[in-house]
Amino acid sequence: MTRSERAMQVWQILVGVAHNRQTLTYGQVAEHLEFEGAGVLAQILNCIMCYCQAKGLPPLTCLVVNQTTGLPGTGLTTVQNLPTDREAVYKQNWFALYPAQISDFEPYA
């Protein structure tokens, strides 16, 4: 599966998580995808982060956090103020948006 296809899978997971005002650990996301570990998620999450930034959307990736710290990874460069950004993600009506497509993530893969 390509990175763009994986980004689409994670996008769908995170939209549901945002709707329920939740967060997931990197391990939980990896588990959903049946990955052996969470180390491969950085590039996939980067696709989503860049797409959100390009579309002027709140940083959906701020909902994925380290199990120990409860914070997104340091590579999540779009997060300026985590509580504010997370609330913006929760308030965004993701289901009202035109659905993202695999091809939307390809420029960032």
Side-chain angles (χ1 to χ4, degrees):
M1 199 173 282
T2 68
R3 191 172 297 143
S4 299
E5 291 167 336
R6 289 294 190 187
M8 184 73 241
Q9 288 179 308
V10 175
W11 173 272
Q12 292 171 328
I13 292 166
L14 294 182
V15 165
V17 167
H19 179 75
N20 292 320
R21 299 183 63 84
Q22 299 170 308
T23 59
L24 291 176
T25 66
Y26 290 98
Q28 288 171 316
V29 174
E31 194 174 295
H32 282 300
L33 300 172
E34 297 184 348
F35 285 174
E36 298 270 334
V40 297
L41 291 175
Q43 294 174 334
I44 295 166
L45 290 170
N46 184 64
C47 292
I48 296 170
M49 178 184 72
C50 291
Y51 174 77
C52 286
Q53 192 171 31
K55 296 295 182 181
L57 295 168
L60 190 58
T61 52
C62 76
L63 302 183
V64 185
V65 299
N66 178 286
Q67 181 177 342
T68 304
T69 66
L71 299 171
T74 55
L76 193 61
T77 58
T78 62
V79 174
Q80 301 301 312
N81 179 301
L82 184 58
T84 301
D85 287 345
R86 190 169 285 153
E87 192 58 34
V89 169
Y90 292 151
K91 286 183 178 181
Q92 175 69 48
N93 186 353
W94 298 95
F95 295 116
L97 299 175
Y98 185 82
Q101 307 294 310
I102 293 168
S103 60
D104 293 331
F105 299 109
E106 288 173 354
Y108 314 109

